[in-house]
Amino acid sequence: MSSLSSMFGCGVVMAPPQALGIGKRSDGGLTIVCSSRPQKKATAHHMKTRPRKTQPWDINRKPTVYDPMPPLPPDWTLVIPADASSASAAAPPPPSA
């Protein structure tokens, strides 16, 4: 039978008995300590590699102010029913072409 360190190819640390959670549910107690290139999980990776503002002109920049939208054309008038009884009314027929 081979040892754990030869199976994993690196050092394996055995947790002390009080950390094993005797009498409780436990995940085992083996910890591999020499991962050569550990990778971040998705959110941690995106937080680490997100673009950051470094220039003062970019950090202090205000949001863009746009002109107000033009009014809707008359054939697209928004109709809001006053109460629930008028909401159940049938839709107007489509225009004949």
Side-chain angles (χ1 to χ4, degrees), residues 8-9 14 20 23 29 40 44 50 53-54 63 82:
F8 290 111
M14 188 66 165
L20 291 178
K40 292 192 173 291
R50 69 181 179 86
K53 294 181 176 182
T54 57

mmCIF file of all heavy atoms in Angstrom, residues 8-9 14 20 23 29 40 44 50 53-54 63 82:
data_model
loop_
_atom_site.group_PDB
_atom_site.id
_atom_site.type_symbol
_atom_site.label_atom_id
_atom_site.label_comp_id
_atom_site.label_asym_id
_atom_site.label_seq_id
_atom_site.Cartn_x
_atom_site.Cartn_y
_atom_site.Cartn_z
ATOM 1 N N PHE A 8 -0.622 11.651 -4.017
ATOM 2 C CA PHE A 8 -0.906 13.001 -4.480
ATOM 3 C C PHE A 8 0.307 13.680 -5.099
ATOM 4 O O PHE A 8 0.179 14.696 -5.752
ATOM 5 C CB PHE A 8 -1.451 13.863 -3.335
ATOM 6 C CG PHE A 8 -2.828 13.469 -2.913
ATOM 7 C CD1 PHE A 8 -3.055 12.878 -1.691
ATOM 8 C CD2 PHE A 8 -3.909 13.696 -3.748
ATOM 9 C CE1 PHE A 8 -4.325 12.520 -1.299
ATOM 10 C CE2 PHE A 8 -5.185 13.341 -3.368
ATOM 11 C CZ PHE A 8 -5.395 12.746 -2.145
ATOM 12 N N GLY A 9 1.483 13.181 -4.867
ATOM 13 C CA GLY A 9 2.685 13.760 -5.439
ATOM 14 C C GLY A 9 3.144 15.003 -4.708
ATOM 15 O O GLY A 9 3.968 15.747 -5.210
ATOM 16 N N MET A 14 -2.271 16.229 7.865
ATOM 17 C CA MET A 14 -3.374 15.592 8.580
ATOM 18 C C MET A 14 -3.835 16.539 9.677
ATOM 19 O O MET A 14 -3.023 17.037 10.454
ATOM 20 C CB MET A 14 -2.914 14.261 9.168
ATOM 21 C CG MET A 14 -4.008 13.451 9.749
ATOM 22 S SD MET A 14 -5.119 12.939 8.445
ATOM 23 C CE MET A 14 -6.014 11.690 9.259
ATOM 24 N N LEU A 20 -11.136 17.435 13.405
ATOM 25 C CA LEU A 20 -11.846 16.454 12.585
ATOM 26 C C LEU A 20 -13.330 16.428 12.888
ATOM 27 O O LEU A 20 -14.103 15.859 12.137
ATOM 28 C CB LEU A 20 -11.253 15.059 12.791
ATOM 29 C CG LEU A 20 -9.849 14.850 12.238
ATOM 30 C CD1 LEU A 20 -9.373 13.446 12.564
ATOM 31 C CD2 LEU A 20 -9.813 15.084 10.746
ATOM 32 N N GLY A 23 -17.694 13.025 16.338
ATOM 33 C CA GLY A 23 -19.055 13.074 16.817
ATOM 34 C C GLY A 23 -19.933 13.975 15.960
ATOM 35 O O GLY A 23 -21.122 14.046 16.136
ATOM 36 N N GLY A 29 -10.637 15.661 6.713
ATOM 37 C CA GLY A 29 -9.513 16.140 7.485
ATOM 38 C C GLY A 29 -8.224 16.197 6.692
ATOM 39 O O GLY A 29 -7.208 16.613 7.214
ATOM 40 N N LYS A 40 -8.870 30.733 -9.354
ATOM 41 C CA LYS A 40 -9.994 31.365 -8.665
ATOM 42 C C LYS A 40 -11.300 30.871 -9.272
ATOM 43 O O LYS A 40 -11.361 30.563 -10.447
ATOM 44 C CB LYS A 40 -9.916 32.884 -8.805
ATOM 45 C CG LYS A 40 -8.744 33.481 -8.049
ATOM 46 C CD LYS A 40 -8.892 34.970 -7.972
ATOM 47 C CE LYS A 40 -7.858 35.579 -7.099
ATOM 48 N NZ LYS A 40 -8.026 35.254 -5.694
ATOM 49 N N ALA A 44 -14.759 35.342 -7.902
ATOM 50 C CA ALA A 44 -13.477 35.839 -7.403
ATOM 51 C C ALA A 44 -12.580 36.248 -8.560
ATOM 52 O O ALA A 44 -11.892 37.267 -8.492
ATOM 53 C CB ALA A 44 -12.801 34.774 -6.559
ATOM 54 N N ARG A 50 -11.387 42.716 -12.908
ATOM 55 C CA ARG A 50 -12.290 43.717 -13.458
ATOM 56 C C ARG A 50 -11.519 44.989 -13.806
ATOM 57 O O ARG A 50 -10.501 45.293 -13.171
ATOM 58 C CB ARG A 50 -13.406 44.041 -12.483
ATOM 59 C CG ARG A 50 -12.951 44.778 -11.245
ATOM 60 C CD ARG A 50 -14.123 45.048 -10.319
ATOM 61 N NE ARG A 50 -13.703 45.734 -9.128
ATOM 62 C CZ ARG A 50 -13.588 47.053 -9.034
ATOM 63 N NH1 ARG A 50 -13.853 47.810 -10.065
ATOM 64 N NH2 ARG A 50 -13.201 47.608 -7.912
ATOM 65 N N LYS A 53 -10.875 52.108 -12.706
ATOM 66 C CA LYS A 53 -10.594 53.476 -13.122
ATOM 67 C C LYS A 53 -9.380 53.967 -12.339
ATOM 68 O O LYS A 53 -9.394 53.993 -11.116
ATOM 69 C CB LYS A 53 -11.800 54.367 -12.846
ATOM 70 C CG LYS A 53 -13.014 54.024 -13.673
ATOM 71 C CD LYS A 53 -14.139 54.975 -13.358
ATOM 72 C CE LYS A 53 -15.326 54.698 -14.242
ATOM 73 N NZ LYS A 53 -16.416 55.631 -13.982
ATOM 74 N N THR A 54 -8.341 54.405 -13.057
ATOM 75 C CA THR A 54 -7.125 54.861 -12.396
ATOM 76 C C THR A 54 -6.865 56.340 -12.628
ATOM 77 O O THR A 54 -6.169 56.970 -11.844
ATOM 78 C CB THR A 54 -5.911 54.062 -12.893
ATOM 79 O OG1 THR A 54 -5.821 54.202 -14.307
ATOM 80 C CG2 THR A 54 -6.045 52.596 -12.525
ATOM 81 N N PRO A 63 -22.226 61.257 -14.881
ATOM 82 C CA PRO A 63 -23.005 60.537 -15.886
ATOM 83 C C PRO A 63 -23.402 61.452 -17.051
ATOM 84 O O PRO A 63 -23.559 62.661 -16.872
ATOM 85 C CB PRO A 63 -24.248 60.062 -15.143
ATOM 86 C CG PRO A 63 -24.022 60.336 -13.724
ATOM 87 C CD PRO A 63 -22.861 61.262 -13.590
ATOM 88 N N ALA A 82 -58.746 53.742 -16.072
ATOM 89 C CA ALA A 82 -58.997 54.395 -14.788
ATOM 90 C C ALA A 82 -59.300 53.382 -13.691
ATOM 91 O O ALA A 82 -58.935 53.558 -12.554
ATOM 92 C CB ALA A 82 -60.145 55.389 -14.922
#
